[in-house]
Amino acid sequence: MTPDPHSVGLVTPQTALFDTPLTLASGATLEHYQLVFETYGELNADASNAILICHALSGHHHVAGRHHPDDKAAGWWDNMIGPGKPIDTSRFFVVGLNNLGGCHGSTGPSSINPATGQPWGASFPVVTVPDWVHAQARLADRLGIERWAAVIGGSLGGMQALQWTLTYPDRVAHALVIASAPKLTAQNIAFNDVARQAILTDPDFHGGDYYAHGTVPRRGLRLARMLGHITYLSDDGMGAKFGRMLKSGEYRYGYDVEFEIESYLRYQGDKFSDYFDANTYLLMTKALDYFDPAQAFAGNLAAALGQAKAQFLVASFTTDWRFSPARSKEIVKALIDAKRRVSYAEIESTHGHDAFLMTDAPYVRLMRAYLNNVAKEVGA
Amino acid sequence: MTPDPHSVGLVTPQTALFDTPLTLASGATLEHYQLVFETYGELNADASNAILICHALSGHHHVAGRHHPDDKAAGWWDNMIGPGKPIDTSRFFVVGLNNLGGCHGSTGPSSINPATGQPWGASFPVVTVPDWVHAQARLADRLGIERWAAVIGGSLGGMQALQWTLTYPDRVAHALVIASAPKLTAQNIAFNDVARQAILTDPDFHGGDYYAHGTVPRRGLRLARMLGHITYLSDDGMGAKFGRMLKSGEYRYGYDVEFEIESYLRYQGDKFSDYFDANTYLLMTKALDYFDPAQAFAGNLAAALGQAKAQFLVASFTTDWRFSPARSKEIVKALIDAKRRVSYAEIESTHGHDAFLMTDAPYVRLMRAYLNNVAKEVGA
């Protein structure tokens, strides 16, 4: 097979160990932890061409390329990252990591707690978006990156990009905040709580210590993912793809799969419950719930975002109802009120919230154009 | 306590037994069944002033008044039904019933199957909206009602009102179809399927025969209801009522209730799982999924509704995203295309789908005005 000139090709995850204690927003302290990460492209001489990719709820460090030549799937944002792609690895040094609390190699609930010799399980502390940004900054230090050319993320990843500009205003030149929100609404929290309750009440959850019981709360995780999927897709997109299409062509009047949409959702739920750690899922949803940078400013988002020095690209998608364009506009308005530099794009797409992972042409053009300018700024 | 002159007062449910077999859409036949119902007001001499109230997913026959003087809550639509209320029992004879498959006294999965002496459980047949209408027609026969002055319902109840005009075009003068839809979308079905999977995968479900095991799939039913509630409320309404309000006033960084919205949803879920039968819940969601009167007309809704002879009032609520105004407009457009008589109202409300149960002033005015005309038509 001819190698794809636009792929980063074969990549190998790396692990960084940290033994300086990290105190979290909750007050808990992690004495030691590790972060697993991947890099693509070359860091230039003055370390000015680095881009950090922040992942969303179920993402991880494997953002682009393949681990093995026969891997069926590439990294989760491979369509956006590679030589000649919008996040162009022939110009940028791109870093993806698995966040603290994850289940793909970074320290998380399924890791061994050195104090007990057992998996952390339910005792792993809740981790917030600012905590992640602190941990990511230590990884940046380790890599010799004083300042990111850009921090980029969609959804929960966008919240991290935004938080970077507040926690470390001098360490990020551009923040790309895509399909995100300045905080969850009651409805957003409600969906998260149904997902959490599905996991927490699964008899196989065992209070979070299912590892010791040799079980996995698969039923709960499956339901959580099925529900999540509904919020990732648009009503129209789901209608166009599945509509009322029947699995067997006629009503069977029973509780087995009747409609194609049921088959799709159950398949997605089953697949997810095979590999994702339930405690990590809980933790990720809590990070979403707690994110609210305006909170420390009496709810004044403009005052909060006044701390930022970065330039912003905020992007939303027309059919995204999880984090609708109105939510992105809240960020944009606050940035304008705070006299920050911001570009905003509301992109036509049928893909709902998932659009941030897709390749709708206007989205790809936008990313390419914006990052082309970022590259020029740093001489890359 | 002074009696409320606008209440129907104390009411007593009645039971009608049927022993003419009823063949269902699925092909299954119920040899015997009973329907529990209540009536308010007096049937006039020519039996022309009767109104049928069709209930939605979790509703029942107890629509107005109280069973005991010390009942805290009145029937589920007491705010709309009574002397001098929009559905005026000093002019109309109002009938409410628990649908076939219900869990409030009509024959359903928790009833004893005379063939086995055990509860029907999972073997109770799937029942559809047309099946309900057939059963309701037999109740009408029993009560001596040849033609309803109006059939009224919200949500799934609106689907029954619509179906009445198609199955028995000569037996309904007015159909009031409120906050409803001509069929479910893929997204609607998807939400139903997550709710069903929560119940079906609860270890206490035992394939639907939990009665024999002395268990109730409470976890599943609770999740189903929590999820349902999210779709009944509007994003804005939920935001106005709960926002990001915290239970304890500060973040506690754990998995207990943190936000008020979580507390509310869990409470609603717990309460529901205490009294509602899980098999009935499954059955009701399937009746929703299967409803599609256009299906027999190659998807042509206007052709389907061309069977109707009734006059229609179709009403929707601005913040209803479960069955949005666009869904009601599909019905209205098809009725117009079929040259039927239809009035349409899109009512401003913050109450989302639940608005059909509420008393937003424009809604109450609309119902009062429309039903006043219906009463005049029948000399009531």
Side-chain angles (χ1 to χ4, degrees):
Chain A
M1 215 169 82
T2 321
D4 174 358
H6 298 300
S7 169
V8 300
L10 288 183
V11 295
T12 305
Q14 302 172 62
T15 301
L17 302 172
F18 298 87
D19 54 12
T20 309
L22 182 71
T23 300
L24 305 171
S26 66
T29 297
L30 284 174
E31 298 294 333
H32 313 272
Y33 60 94
Q34 67 177 42
L35 296 176
V36 61
F37 66 100
E38 292 182 3
T39 71
Y40 323 110
E42 299 292 331
L43 190 62
N44 62 9
D46 61 352
S48 64
N49 71 333
I51 286 181
L52 176 66
I53 308 295
C54 301
H55 70 73
L57 202 150
S58 60
H60 44 67
H61 57 288
H62 184 37
V63 187
R66 283 173 164 75
H67 290 157
H68 305 286
D70 52 352
D71 279 356
K72 274 188 191 160
W76 59 266
W77 221 6
D78 191 79
N79 54 22
M80 199 61 87
I81 297 170
K85 289 181 182 171
I87 302 174
D88 188 343
T89 52
S90 62
R91 305 170 87 182
F92 291 113
F93 176 69
V94 178
V95 178
L97 83 160
N98 186 216
N99 275 326
L100 209 51
C103 56
H104 288 87
S106 292
T107 301
S110 54
S111 307
I112 299 299
N113 177 356
T116 64
Q118 300 296 320
W120 282 92
S123 68
F124 194 84
V126 166
V127 182
T128 66
V129 170
D131 294 334
W132 282 334
V133 168
H134 286 302
Q136 290 161 2
R138 291 191 180 176
L139 179 64
D141 295 343
R142 188 72 58 91
L143 296 171
I145 297 160
E146 174 51 33
R147 187 167 189 253
W148 299 102
V151 180
I152 306 178
S155 191
L156 177 55
M159 293 173 177
Q160 295 160 58
L162 185 57
Q163 186 65 47
W164 258 97
T165 71
L166 310 180
T167 307
Y168 299 107
D170 294 314
R171 298 193 70 174
V172 48
H174 292 267
L176 282 68
V177 179
I178 305 165
S180 195
K183 64 183 177 193
L184 297 201
T185 61
Q187 190 189 70
N188 295 146
I189 296 170
F191 277 121
N192 278 348
D193 199 49
V194 175
R196 279 192 296 264
Q197 288 295 308
I199 293 169
L200 292 164
T201 64
D202 185 326
D204 286 333
F205 183 67
H206 295 291
D209 295 321
Y210 44 88
Y211 317 101
H213 289 78
T215 62
V216 169
R218 192 180 296 277
R219 288 175 293 249
L221 203 49
R222 176 175 177 272
L223 290 170
R225 184 62 163 186
M226 289 177 73
L227 178 54
H229 254 279
I230 300 178
T231 70
Y232 304 153
L233 304 179
S234 75
D235 190 10
D236 286 352
M238 212 183 243
K241 191 167 174 186
F242 300 103
R244 296 176 56 84
M245 222 180 336
L246 296 168
K247 188 81 182 165
S248 76
E250 59 179 12
Y251 286 174
R252 291 183 296 188
Y253 299 103
Y255 296 105
D256 289 340
V257 164
E258 187 77 282
F259 294 92
E260 286 285 357
I261 182 65
E262 298 173 304
S263 177
Y264 170 81
L265 282 185
R266 295 183 199 180
Y267 172 77
Q268 294 294 337
D270 286 337
K271 200 174 65 169
F272 189 71
S273 70
D274 279 344
Y275 73 84
F276 205 86
D277 181 64
N279 281 316
T280 289
Y281 197 89
L282 294 175
L283 181 147
M284 295 282 164
T285 64
K286 291 301 278 190
L288 278 161
D289 285 7
Y290 287 127
F291 183 68
D292 184 6
Q295 198 198 24
F297 293 81
N300 185 335
L301 186 62
L305 302 192
Q307 303 168 94
K309 297 180 179 172
Q311 292 188 49
F312 288 85
L313 174 64
V314 177
S316 68
F317 299 93
T318 49
T319 55
D320 184 352
W321 64 279
R322 183 182 177 86
F323 295 142
S324 73
R327 311 307 313 284
S328 283
K329 286 178 197 160
E330 292 174 33
I331 299 172
V332 172
K333 184 182 182 307
L335 286 168
I336 291 170
D337 289 349
K339 303 198 191 317
R340 303 297 100 174
R341 289 163 297 178
V342 55
S343 302
Y344 174 62
E346 186 172 320
I347 300 161
E348 285 279 346
S349 170
T350 59
H351 290 117
H353 188 59
D354 264 357
F356 84 87
L357 297 166
M358 304 291 181
T359 52
D360 289 293
Y363 176 42
V364 174
R365 276 199 303 273
L366 173 74
M367 294 291 279
R368 186 180 295 282
Y370 194 91
L371 289 162
N372 184 47
N373 286 335
V374 174
K376 281 184 193 161
E377 277 179 23
V378 297
Chain B
M1 214 171 81
T2 321
D4 175 358
H6 299 297
S7 170
V8 299
L10 288 183
V11 295
T12 305
Q14 304 171 61
T15 300
L17 303 172
F18 298 87
D19 53 12
T20 310
L22 182 71
T23 299
L24 306 171
S26 67
T29 297
L30 284 173
E31 299 295 332
H32 313 272
Y33 59 95
Q34 68 177 41
L35 296 176
V36 61
F37 66 101
E38 292 182 5
T39 70
Y40 323 110
E42 299 293 330
L43 190 63
N44 61 9
D46 61 354
S48 65
N49 71 333
I51 285 181
L52 175 67
I53 308 294
C54 301
H55 69 73
L57 202 148
S58 60
H60 45 68
H61 58 287
H62 184 36
V63 187
R66 282 172 165 76
H67 290 155
H68 306 285
D70 50 354
D71 280 356
K72 274 189 191 159
W76 59 266
W77 221 7
D78 191 80
N79 54 23
M80 199 60 89
I81 297 170
K85 289 181 182 171
I87 302 173
D88 189 342
T89 53
S90 62
R91 306 170 86 182
F92 291 112
F93 176 68
V94 178
V95 179
L97 83 159
N98 185 216
N99 275 328
L100 210 50
C103 56
H104 288 88
S106 292
T107 300
S110 53
S111 307
I112 299 299
N113 178 356
T116 64
Q118 301 295 320
W120 283 91
S123 69
F124 194 83
V126 166
V127 182
T128 66
V129 170
D131 294 334
W132 282 334
V133 168
H134 286 303
Q136 290 161 2
R138 291 191 180 178
L139 180 64
D141 295 343
R142 189 70 59 90
L143 295 171
I145 297 160
E146 173 51 32
R147 188 167 188 253
W148 298 102
V151 179
I152 306 178
S155 192
L156 177 55
M159 293 173 177
Q160 295 160 59
L162 185 56
Q163 186 65 46
W164 258 97
T165 71
L166 310 181
T167 307
Y168 300 106
D170 294 314
R171 298 193 69 174
V172 47
H174 292 267
L176 281 69
V177 179
I178 305 164
S180 195
K183 65 184 177 192
L184 297 202
T185 62
Q187 190 189 71
N188 295 146
I189 295 170
F191 277 121
N192 278 349
D193 199 49
V194 175
R196 279 192 295 265
Q197 288 295 308
I199 293 168
L200 291 165
T201 65
D202 185 328
D204 287 332
F205 182 67
H206 295 292
D209 295 322
Y210 44 88
Y211 317 101
H213 289 79
T215 62
V216 169
R218 191 179 296 276
R219 288 176 294 249
L221 202 50
R222 176 175 178 271
L223 289 170
R225 185 61 164 186
M226 289 177 71
L227 178 55
H229 253 280
I230 301 178
T231 69
Y232 304 153
L233 304 179
S234 75
D235 190 9
D236 286 351
M238 212 183 243
K241 189 167 175 188
F242 300 102
R244 296 178 54 84
M245 221 179 341
L246 295 168
K247 188 81 182 165
S248 75
E250 58 178 12
Y251 286 173
R252 293 184 294 190
Y253 297 105
Y255 296 105
D256 290 339
V257 165
E258 189 76 281
F259 295 92
E260 288 285 358
I261 181 65
E262 298 173 304
S263 178
Y264 171 80
L265 282 185
R266 295 182 199 181
Y267 172 77
Q268 294 294 338
D270 286 337
K271 200 173 65 168
F272 190 70
S273 70
D274 279 344
Y275 73 85
F276 205 86
D277 180 64
N279 282 315
T280 289
Y281 197 89
L282 294 174
L283 182 148
M284 295 283 164
T285 64
K286 290 302 278 190
L288 278 162
D289 285 8
Y290 287 127
F291 183 68
D292 184 7
Q295 198 197 24
F297 293 81
N300 185 335
L301 186 61
L305 302 192
Q307 304 169 92
K309 297 180 180 174
Q311 292 188 49
F312 288 85
L313 173 64
V314 177
S316 69
F317 299 93
T318 48
T319 55
D320 184 352
W321 64 279
R322 183 181 178 85
F323 295 142
S324 72
R327 309 308 313 283
S328 282
K329 286 178 196 160
E330 291 174 35
I331 299 172
V332 172
K333 183 182 184 307
L335 286 168
I336 291 170
D337 289 348
K339 302 197 191 316
R340 303 296 100 174
R341 290 163 297 178
V342 55
S343 303
Y344 174 62
E346 186 172 320
I347 300 161
E348 284 280 344
S349 170
T350 60
H351 290 117
H353 188 60
D354 264 357
F356 85 84
L357 297 165
M358 305 291 180
T359 53
D360 290 292
Y363 175 42
V364 174
R365 276 200 303 273
L366 172 74
M367 293 291 279
R368 187 182 294 281
Y370 194 92
L371 289 163
N372 184 46
N373 287 335
V374 174
K376 281 185 192 160
E377 276 179 25
V378 298

